[in-house]
Amino acid sequence: MNEDPIAKFKAAQKEGWAYFAPLESLTTPSAARLVKFAGVRAGERVLDVACGTGVVAITAARLGAKVDGIDLTPQLLDRARENSRLAEVEINWREGDAEALPFADGEFDVVLSQFGHMFAPRPEVAIREMLRVLKPGGTIAFSTWPPELLIGRSFTLVGSYMPPPPPGVSPPPQWGDPNIVRERLGTAVTEIVFDRDRMNFPALSLPGYRAVIERTAGPMLKLVEMLSASDPARLTQFRREYDALLAPYFENNILRQDYLLTRARKR
Ligand SMILES: C[S@@+](CC[C@H](N)C(=O)[O-])C[C@H]1O[C@@H](n2cnc3c(N)ncnc32)[C@H](O)[C@@H]1O
């Protein structure tokens, strides 16, 4: 058994994300937004980091790019294979870790990640890897959840009910703060550009939305699994707090989920 705390943390994440596939209908439109924002062109070599069911990778491949997609979770890669078969595009899918990319230095013209690399526990390791496999002059672009908005605040709430992560693990929504993003990209890049967009999540009620998220979103799924077994009263309290957090973002049967886009050029 692996006792390395970071490896154990990733193993738990891998289990948690196994049920994410139904949410691909929500991340499909934002995938097109990211691919356009990055300016992907036919013939370019593109890497989709933490690709999930492949929504970004397939969008780039449909433009004629030569695409690799890598993710920690095999169940999502099975779905990605099926999605690329249906889309009639060739993509090299690989199971692997954003913190240890199995590619040579400077292999890619474009490195992308949609709500993905932000879940790698050690940001400095993930970004070093993403920049390593990118060519000088190449484009890195990603979409992330800001800490002060719905999804970022949800992660903070979920985290407050979980045991503390191992030392060195950073909260994912830090990747949604432009100041932190600038710091993490550091002097390795130029021409940093930020933008924002909105994901509209249809829902008939807040408990209805919560039920979907509890079954599909990794960190939430793990929390509910833990509290159902250990402390149902605390689970009830969590759900009450969660619904209160969501309420201001819910209008016209839509949960409003705003996100940050970042693009930069490697020096
Ligand atoms: C919110 S999903 C996003 C999936 C996809 N990019 C999309 O937009 O639909 C987060 C993804 O990050 C992956 N992930 C989490 N930690 C990872 C890591 N260390 N390395 C690679 N993938 C990771 C999960 O398996 C999951 O597919």
Side-chain angles (χ1 to χ4, degrees):
M1 205 176 121
N2 199 331
E3 288 306 326
D4 167 24
I6 295 282
K8 271 171 73 177
F9 181 85
K10 286 180 190 168
Q13 282 208 316
K14 188 167 168 168
E15 274 176 30
W17 287 114
Y19 306 94
F20 182 77
L23 291 191
E24 70 181 2
S25 58
L26 276 307
T27 60
T28 292
S30 54
R33 176 74 166 92
L34 178 62
V35 168
K36 194 178 250 181
F37 179 69
V40 171
R41 289 187 307 246
E44 286 185 322
R45 280 210 63 197
V46 174
L47 175 62
D48 180 6
V49 175
C51 62
T53 64
V55 291
V56 168
I58 292 168
T59 307
R62 281 177 37 226
L63 292 175
K66 293 183 223 123
V67 185
D68 289 66
I70 182 161
D71 198 278
L72 211 51
T73 308
Q75 292 88 338
L76 299 182
L77 290 168
D78 287 346
R79 172 77 181 171
R81 276 184 204 97
E82 171 70 359
N83 282 340
S84 56
R85 192 185 61 74
L86 291 169
E88 300 177 0
V89 290
E90 283 288 328
I91 291 177
N92 182 23
W93 302 113
R94 307 226 357 201
E95 187 176 328
D97 183 356
E99 292 189 349
L101 294 172
F103 303 103
D105 296 0
E107 260 196 60
F108 294 94
D109 301 292
V110 182
V111 173
L112 303 175
S113 189
Q114 172 169 258
F115 316 126
H117 82 293
M118 64 182 293
F119 295 105
R122 296 169 300 184
E124 69 290 356
V125 181
I127 198 68
R128 190 171 63 226
E129 277 297 89
M130 289 165 75
L131 289 169
R132 179 184 64 76
V133 302
L134 186 61
K135 281 184 185 148
T139 299
I140 183 167
F142 42 82
S143 304
T144 49
W145 300 113
E148 72 282 9
L149 299 177
L150 188 155
I151 303 292
R153 291 177 63 200
S154 308
F155 282 125
T156 305
L157 180 66
V158 168
S160 73
Y161 278 78
M162 294 289 272
V169 174
S170 292
Q174 286 186 348
W175 274 114
D177 177 338
N179 294 320
I180 295 180
V181 171
R182 264 183 206 289
E183 245 170 61
R184 288 178 178 170
L185 288 168
T187 54
V189 304
T190 60
E191 300 171 39
I192 302 182
V193 176
F194 295 108
D195 203 351
R196 290 185 183 268
D197 212 331
R198 174 166 297 176
M199 179 185 287
N200 286 317
F201 196 125
L204 277 178
S205 67
L206 292 180
Y209 169 81
R210 174 162 44 70
V212 173
I213 297 300
E214 286 184 2
R215 284 195 301 266
T216 50
M220 183 79 153
L221 191 143
K222 284 305 226 184
L223 174 68
V224 172
E225 189 181 273
M226 183 188 84
L227 290 182
S228 308
S230 66
D231 195 343
R234 206 162 141 71
L235 178 57
T236 305
Q237 184 193 328
F238 165 76
R239 285 176 168 153
R240 216 173 308 141
E241 272 190 65
Y242 184 64
D243 288 358
L245 186 162
L246 299 175
Y249 302 95
F250 184 47
E251 196 178 14
N252 299 328
N253 287 356
I254 296 285
L255 256 299
R256 201 169 68 240
Q257 310 189 337
D258 290 1
Y259 61 92
L260 178 73
L261 293 119
T262 301
R263 179 180 71 220
R265 185 164 308 288
K266 182 175 167 179
R267 281 184 201 276

